[in-house]
mmCIF file of all heavy atoms in Angstrom:
data_model
loop_
_atom_site.group_PDB
_atom_site.id
_atom_site.type_symbol
_atom_site.label_atom_id
_atom_site.label_comp_id
_atom_site.label_asym_id
_atom_site.label_seq_id
_atom_site.Cartn_x
_atom_site.Cartn_y
_atom_site.Cartn_z
ATOM 1 N N GLY A 1601 -26.993 -11.114 7.904
ATOM 2 C CA GLY A 1601 -27.619 -12.238 8.706
ATOM 3 C C GLY A 1601 -28.012 -13.415 7.968
ATOM 4 O O GLY A 1601 -28.602 -14.402 8.511
ATOM 5 N N ASP A 1602 -27.605 -13.524 6.498
ATOM 6 C CA ASP A 1602 -27.988 -14.683 5.787
ATOM 7 C C ASP A 1602 -26.715 -15.416 5.377
ATOM 8 O O ASP A 1602 -25.762 -14.813 5.085
ATOM 9 C CB ASP A 1602 -28.678 -14.185 4.480
ATOM 10 C CG ASP A 1602 -29.378 -15.268 3.753
ATOM 11 O OD1 ASP A 1602 -28.773 -16.217 3.195
ATOM 12 O OD2 ASP A 1602 -30.644 -15.231 3.815
ATOM 13 N N PRO A 1603 -26.831 -16.842 5.450
ATOM 14 C CA PRO A 1603 -25.672 -17.623 5.079
ATOM 15 C C PRO A 1603 -25.092 -17.338 3.649
ATOM 16 O O PRO A 1603 -23.892 -17.508 3.417
ATOM 17 C CB PRO A 1603 -26.146 -19.016 5.166
ATOM 18 C CG PRO A 1603 -27.306 -18.994 6.107
ATOM 19 C CD PRO A 1603 -27.965 -17.656 5.853
ATOM 20 N N ASP A 1604 -25.995 -16.853 2.791
ATOM 21 C CA ASP A 1604 -25.587 -16.561 1.401
ATOM 22 C C ASP A 1604 -24.463 -15.454 1.507
ATOM 23 O O ASP A 1604 -23.578 -15.428 0.519
ATOM 24 C CB ASP A 1604 -26.902 -15.980 0.680
ATOM 25 C CG ASP A 1604 -26.529 -15.495 -0.699
ATOM 26 O OD1 ASP A 1604 -26.435 -16.298 -1.653
ATOM 27 O OD2 ASP A 1604 -26.441 -14.338 -0.925
ATOM 28 N N ASN A 1605 -24.511 -14.535 2.395
ATOM 29 C CA ASN A 1605 -23.593 -13.523 2.500
ATOM 30 C C ASN A 1605 -22.097 -14.040 2.782
ATOM 31 O O ASN A 1605 -21.167 -13.416 2.513
ATOM 32 C CB ASN A 1605 -23.995 -12.486 3.610
ATOM 33 C CG ASN A 1605 -23.089 -11.279 3.590
ATOM 34 O OD1 ASN A 1605 -22.665 -10.888 4.709
ATOM 35 N ND2 ASN A 1605 -22.942 -10.610 2.484
ATOM 36 N N PHE A 1606 -22.032 -15.191 3.306
ATOM 37 C CA PHE A 1606 -20.758 -15.859 3.398
ATOM 38 C C PHE A 1606 -20.530 -16.828 2.365
ATOM 39 O O PHE A 1606 -19.479 -16.743 1.639
ATOM 40 C CB PHE A 1606 -20.692 -16.637 4.775
ATOM 41 C CG PHE A 1606 -20.544 -15.779 6.047
ATOM 42 C CD1 PHE A 1606 -21.624 -15.106 6.499
ATOM 43 C CD2 PHE A 1606 -19.349 -15.627 6.675
ATOM 44 C CE1 PHE A 1606 -21.503 -14.292 7.629
ATOM 45 C CE2 PHE A 1606 -19.221 -14.846 7.775
ATOM 46 C CZ PHE A 1606 -20.268 -14.178 8.283
ATOM 47 N N LEU A 1607 -21.347 -17.833 2.279
ATOM 48 C CA LEU A 1607 -21.047 -18.949 1.323
ATOM 49 C C LEU A 1607 -21.048 -18.621 -0.094
ATOM 50 O O LEU A 1607 -20.271 -19.112 -0.899
ATOM 51 C CB LEU A 1607 -22.139 -20.070 1.623
ATOM 52 C CG LEU A 1607 -22.110 -20.713 3.008
ATOM 53 C CD1 LEU A 1607 -23.241 -21.621 3.254
ATOM 54 C CD2 LEU A 1607 -20.798 -21.330 3.287
ATOM 55 N N TYR A 1608 -21.997 -17.742 -0.496
ATOM 56 C CA TYR A 1608 -22.009 -17.357 -1.973
ATOM 57 C C TYR A 1608 -21.040 -16.191 -2.140
ATOM 58 O O TYR A 1608 -20.181 -16.358 -3.041
ATOM 59 C CB TYR A 1608 -23.428 -16.970 -2.336
ATOM 60 C CG TYR A 1608 -23.562 -16.728 -3.985
ATOM 61 C CD1 TYR A 1608 -23.812 -17.778 -4.646
ATOM 62 C CD2 TYR A 1608 -23.288 -15.499 -4.420
ATOM 63 C CE1 TYR A 1608 -23.886 -17.613 -6.114
ATOM 64 C CE2 TYR A 1608 -23.295 -15.321 -5.833
ATOM 65 C CZ TYR A 1608 -23.657 -16.400 -6.659
ATOM 66 O OH TYR A 1608 -23.701 -16.299 -8.000
ATOM 67 N N PHE A 1609 -21.055 -15.168 -1.419
ATOM 68 C CA PHE A 1609 -20.176 -13.986 -1.655
ATOM 69 C C PHE A 1609 -18.727 -14.350 -1.651
ATOM 70 O O PHE A 1609 -17.996 -13.907 -2.497
ATOM 71 C CB PHE A 1609 -20.555 -12.892 -0.692
ATOM 72 C CG PHE A 1609 -19.701 -11.648 -0.874
ATOM 73 C CD1 PHE A 1609 -19.904 -10.850 -1.948
ATOM 74 C CD2 PHE A 1609 -18.743 -11.332 0.016
ATOM 75 C CE1 PHE A 1609 -19.190 -9.734 -2.189
ATOM 76 C CE2 PHE A 1609 -17.916 -10.195 -0.175
ATOM 77 C CZ PHE A 1609 -18.205 -9.346 -1.354
ATOM 78 N N LEU A 1610 -18.275 -15.155 -0.654
ATOM 79 C CA LEU A 1610 -16.897 -15.440 -0.429
ATOM 80 C C LEU A 1610 -16.412 -16.657 -1.260
ATOM 81 O O LEU A 1610 -15.116 -16.723 -1.461
ATOM 82 C CB LEU A 1610 -16.650 -15.674 1.004
ATOM 83 C CG LEU A 1610 -16.963 -14.512 1.978
ATOM 84 C CD1 LEU A 1610 -16.705 -14.932 3.465
ATOM 85 C CD2 LEU A 1610 -16.013 -13.278 1.628
ATOM 86 N N LEU A 1611 -17.255 -17.509 -1.705
ATOM 87 C CA LEU A 1611 -16.765 -18.754 -2.293
ATOM 88 C C LEU A 1611 -17.475 -19.181 -3.585
ATOM 89 O O LEU A 1611 -17.227 -20.385 -4.046
ATOM 90 C CB LEU A 1611 -17.013 -19.949 -1.243
ATOM 91 C CG LEU A 1611 -16.166 -19.777 0.008
ATOM 92 C CD1 LEU A 1611 -16.701 -20.544 1.184
ATOM 93 C CD2 LEU A 1611 -14.690 -20.137 -0.320
ATOM 94 N N ASN A 1612 -18.233 -18.303 -4.200
ATOM 95 C CA ASN A 1612 -18.798 -18.659 -5.483
ATOM 96 C C ASN A 1612 -17.856 -18.592 -6.660
ATOM 97 O O ASN A 1612 -16.845 -17.783 -6.521
ATOM 98 C CB ASN A 1612 -20.073 -17.916 -5.782
ATOM 99 C CG ASN A 1612 -19.826 -16.569 -6.396
ATOM 100 O OD1 ASN A 1612 -19.686 -16.363 -7.621
ATOM 101 N ND2 ASN A 1612 -19.687 -15.456 -5.524
ATOM 102 N N CYS A 1613 -18.106 -19.357 -7.656
ATOM 103 C CA CYS A 1613 -17.122 -19.379 -8.807
ATOM 104 C C CYS A 1613 -17.020 -18.052 -9.536
ATOM 105 O O CYS A 1613 -15.886 -17.740 -10.035
ATOM 106 C CB CYS A 1613 -17.524 -20.449 -9.769
ATOM 107 S SG CYS A 1613 -17.465 -22.151 -9.198
ATOM 108 N N GLY A 1614 -17.985 -17.270 -9.541
ATOM 109 C CA GLY A 1614 -17.945 -15.961 -10.208
ATOM 110 C C GLY A 1614 -17.026 -15.027 -9.474
ATOM 111 O O GLY A 1614 -16.557 -13.983 -10.180
ATOM 112 N N ALA A 1615 -16.704 -15.236 -8.258
ATOM 113 C CA ALA A 1615 -15.909 -14.356 -7.431
ATOM 114 C C ALA A 1615 -14.395 -14.733 -7.551
ATOM 115 O O ALA A 1615 -13.541 -14.188 -6.885
ATOM 116 C CB ALA A 1615 -16.309 -14.313 -6.002
ATOM 117 N N VAL A 1616 -14.108 -15.722 -8.453
ATOM 118 C CA VAL A 1616 -12.726 -16.117 -8.742
ATOM 119 C C VAL A 1616 -12.175 -15.339 -9.904
ATOM 120 O O VAL A 1616 -12.286 -15.689 -10.957
ATOM 121 C CB VAL A 1616 -12.647 -17.701 -9.067
ATOM 122 C CG1 VAL A 1616 -11.180 -18.044 -9.357
ATOM 123 C CG2 VAL A 1616 -13.261 -18.490 -7.919
ATOM 124 N N ARG A 1617 -11.732 -14.131 -9.523
ATOM 125 C CA ARG A 1617 -11.243 -13.219 -10.442
ATOM 126 C C ARG A 1617 -10.371 -12.159 -9.752
ATOM 127 O O ARG A 1617 -10.510 -12.060 -8.537
ATOM 128 C CB ARG A 1617 -12.319 -12.582 -11.191
ATOM 129 C CG ARG A 1617 -13.316 -11.820 -10.294
ATOM 130 C CD ARG A 1617 -14.467 -11.182 -10.991
ATOM 131 N NE ARG A 1617 -15.393 -10.578 -10.018
ATOM 132 C CZ ARG A 1617 -15.214 -9.423 -9.412
ATOM 133 N NH1 ARG A 1617 -14.166 -8.724 -9.627
ATOM 134 N NH2 ARG A 1617 -16.082 -9.018 -8.493
ATOM 135 N N PRO A 1618 -9.529 -11.483 -10.406
ATOM 136 C CA PRO A 1618 -8.760 -10.390 -9.785
ATOM 137 C C PRO A 1618 -9.851 -9.292 -9.268
ATOM 138 O O PRO A 1618 -10.641 -8.852 -9.943
ATOM 139 C CB PRO A 1618 -8.009 -9.706 -10.961
ATOM 140 C CG PRO A 1618 -7.744 -10.890 -11.915
ATOM 141 C CD PRO A 1618 -9.037 -11.691 -11.893
ATOM 142 N N GLY A 1619 -9.617 -9.061 -7.968
ATOM 143 C CA GLY A 1619 -10.541 -8.128 -7.298
ATOM 144 C C GLY A 1619 -11.725 -8.814 -6.625
ATOM 145 O O GLY A 1619 -12.466 -8.283 -5.858
ATOM 146 N N GLY A 1620 -11.981 -10.167 -6.969
ATOM 147 C CA GLY A 1620 -13.081 -10.883 -6.431
ATOM 148 C C GLY A 1620 -12.823 -11.244 -5.029
ATOM 149 O O GLY A 1620 -11.701 -11.443 -4.464
ATOM 150 N N ALA A 1621 -14.044 -11.545 -4.329
ATOM 151 C CA ALA A 1621 -13.946 -11.879 -2.967
ATOM 152 C C ALA A 1621 -13.472 -13.311 -2.591
ATOM 153 O O ALA A 1621 -13.088 -13.622 -1.545
ATOM 154 C CB ALA A 1621 -15.297 -11.788 -2.248
ATOM 155 N N ASN A 1622 -13.466 -14.232 -3.629
ATOM 156 C CA ASN A 1622 -13.036 -15.593 -3.408
ATOM 157 C C ASN A 1622 -11.543 -15.638 -3.620
ATOM 158 O O ASN A 1622 -10.907 -16.053 -4.633
ATOM 159 C CB ASN A 1622 -13.712 -16.514 -4.495
ATOM 160 C CG ASN A 1622 -13.546 -17.972 -4.252
ATOM 161 O OD1 ASN A 1622 -12.581 -18.308 -3.560
ATOM 162 N ND2 ASN A 1622 -14.373 -18.814 -4.862
ATOM 163 N N ILE A 1623 -10.893 -15.302 -2.502
ATOM 164 C CA ILE A 1623 -9.402 -15.200 -2.587
ATOM 165 C C ILE A 1623 -8.744 -16.590 -2.529
ATOM 166 O O ILE A 1623 -7.463 -16.656 -2.746
ATOM 167 C CB ILE A 1623 -8.787 -14.291 -1.453
ATOM 168 C CG1 ILE A 1623 -9.215 -14.782 -0.105
ATOM 169 C CG2 ILE A 1623 -9.285 -12.868 -1.710
ATOM 170 C CD1 ILE A 1623 -8.583 -13.915 1.000
ATOM 171 N N ALA A 1624 -9.543 -17.635 -2.193
ATOM 172 C CA ALA A 1624 -8.972 -18.968 -2.283
ATOM 173 C C ALA A 1624 -8.894 -19.506 -3.791
ATOM 174 O O ALA A 1624 -8.328 -20.526 -3.996
ATOM 175 C CB ALA A 1624 -9.782 -19.960 -1.469
ATOM 176 N N ARG A 1625 -9.543 -18.687 -4.641
ATOM 177 C CA ARG A 1625 -9.546 -19.075 -6.080
ATOM 178 C C ARG A 1625 -10.064 -20.460 -6.217
ATOM 179 O O ARG A 1625 -9.635 -21.340 -6.998
ATOM 180 C CB ARG A 1625 -8.177 -18.977 -6.717
ATOM 181 C CG ARG A 1625 -7.648 -17.511 -6.659
ATOM 182 C CD ARG A 1625 -8.546 -16.602 -7.525
ATOM 183 N NE ARG A 1625 -8.085 -15.255 -7.589
ATOM 184 C CZ ARG A 1625 -8.384 -14.230 -6.865
ATOM 185 N NH1 ARG A 1625 -9.435 -14.485 -5.813
ATOM 186 N NH2 ARG A 1625 -8.004 -13.063 -6.912
ATOM 187 N N TRP A 1626 -11.136 -20.846 -5.381
ATOM 188 C CA TRP A 1626 -11.687 -22.233 -5.382
ATOM 189 C C TRP A 1626 -13.118 -22.256 -6.032
ATOM 190 O O TRP A 1626 -13.968 -21.453 -5.645
ATOM 191 C CB TRP A 1626 -11.807 -22.669 -3.957
ATOM 192 C CG TRP A 1626 -12.413 -23.998 -3.662
ATOM 193 C CD1 TRP A 1626 -11.780 -25.159 -3.991
ATOM 194 C CD2 TRP A 1626 -13.548 -24.294 -2.978
ATOM 195 N NE1 TRP A 1626 -12.577 -26.169 -3.568
ATOM 196 C CE2 TRP A 1626 -13.710 -25.688 -2.925
ATOM 197 C CE3 TRP A 1626 -14.632 -23.541 -2.385
ATOM 198 C CZ2 TRP A 1626 -14.807 -26.368 -2.339
ATOM 199 C CZ3 TRP A 1626 -15.753 -24.188 -1.799
ATOM 200 C CH2 TRP A 1626 -15.771 -25.595 -1.753
ATOM 201 N N CYS A 1627 -13.200 -23.091 -7.061
ATOM 202 C CA CYS A 1627 -14.467 -23.217 -7.791
ATOM 203 C C CYS A 1627 -14.789 -24.705 -7.756
ATOM 204 O O CYS A 1627 -14.215 -25.403 -8.498
ATOM 205 C CB CYS A 1627 -14.386 -22.649 -9.072
ATOM 206 S SG CYS A 1627 -15.944 -22.844 -10.050
ATOM 207 N N ASN A 1628 -15.792 -25.091 -6.960
ATOM 208 C CA ASN A 1628 -16.217 -26.517 -6.839
ATOM 209 C C ASN A 1628 -17.676 -26.627 -7.334
ATOM 210 O O ASN A 1628 -18.603 -26.086 -6.772
ATOM 211 C CB ASN A 1628 -16.063 -26.890 -5.393
ATOM 212 C CG ASN A 1628 -16.429 -28.430 -5.244
ATOM 213 O OD1 ASN A 1628 -17.635 -28.728 -5.265
ATOM 214 N ND2 ASN A 1628 -15.454 -29.259 -5.035
ATOM 215 N N PRO A 1629 -17.828 -27.367 -8.467
ATOM 216 C CA PRO A 1629 -19.132 -27.495 -9.007
ATOM 217 C C PRO A 1629 -20.297 -27.990 -8.000
ATOM 218 O O PRO A 1629 -21.410 -27.449 -8.100
ATOM 219 C CB PRO A 1629 -19.046 -28.443 -10.135
ATOM 220 C CG PRO A 1629 -17.535 -28.488 -10.501
ATOM 221 C CD PRO A 1629 -16.872 -28.197 -9.218
ATOM 222 N N ASP A 1630 -19.913 -28.938 -7.194
ATOM 223 C CA ASP A 1630 -20.844 -29.513 -6.214
ATOM 224 C C ASP A 1630 -21.259 -28.405 -5.186
ATOM 225 O O ASP A 1630 -22.397 -28.212 -4.838
ATOM 226 C CB ASP A 1630 -20.384 -30.702 -5.548
ATOM 227 C CG ASP A 1630 -20.206 -31.832 -6.455
ATOM 228 O OD1 ASP A 1630 -20.946 -31.964 -7.522
ATOM 229 O OD2 ASP A 1630 -19.342 -32.695 -6.240
ATOM 230 N N PHE A 1631 -20.298 -27.658 -4.656
ATOM 231 C CA PHE A 1631 -20.544 -26.567 -3.718
ATOM 232 C C PHE A 1631 -21.363 -25.508 -4.412
ATOM 233 O O PHE A 1631 -22.375 -25.067 -3.842
ATOM 234 C CB PHE A 1631 -19.202 -26.125 -3.273
ATOM 235 C CG PHE A 1631 -19.259 -24.977 -2.225
ATOM 236 C CD1 PHE A 1631 -19.281 -25.194 -0.849
ATOM 237 C CD2 PHE A 1631 -19.358 -23.644 -2.628
ATOM 238 C CE1 PHE A 1631 -19.402 -24.213 0.035
ATOM 239 C CE2 PHE A 1631 -19.427 -22.546 -1.775
ATOM 240 C CZ PHE A 1631 -19.459 -22.793 -0.391
#
Side-chain angles (χ1 to χ4, degrees):
D1602 196 291
D1604 177 81
N1605 186 229
F1606 285 80
L1607 298 173
Y1608 190 88
F1609 181 70
L1610 299 175
L1611 292 162
N1612 82 85
C1613 294
V1616 179
R1617 57 180 176 78
N1622 190 340
I1623 59 176
R1625 299 297 183 260
W1626 181 65
C1627 177
N1628 181 284
D1630 294 331
F1631 181 89

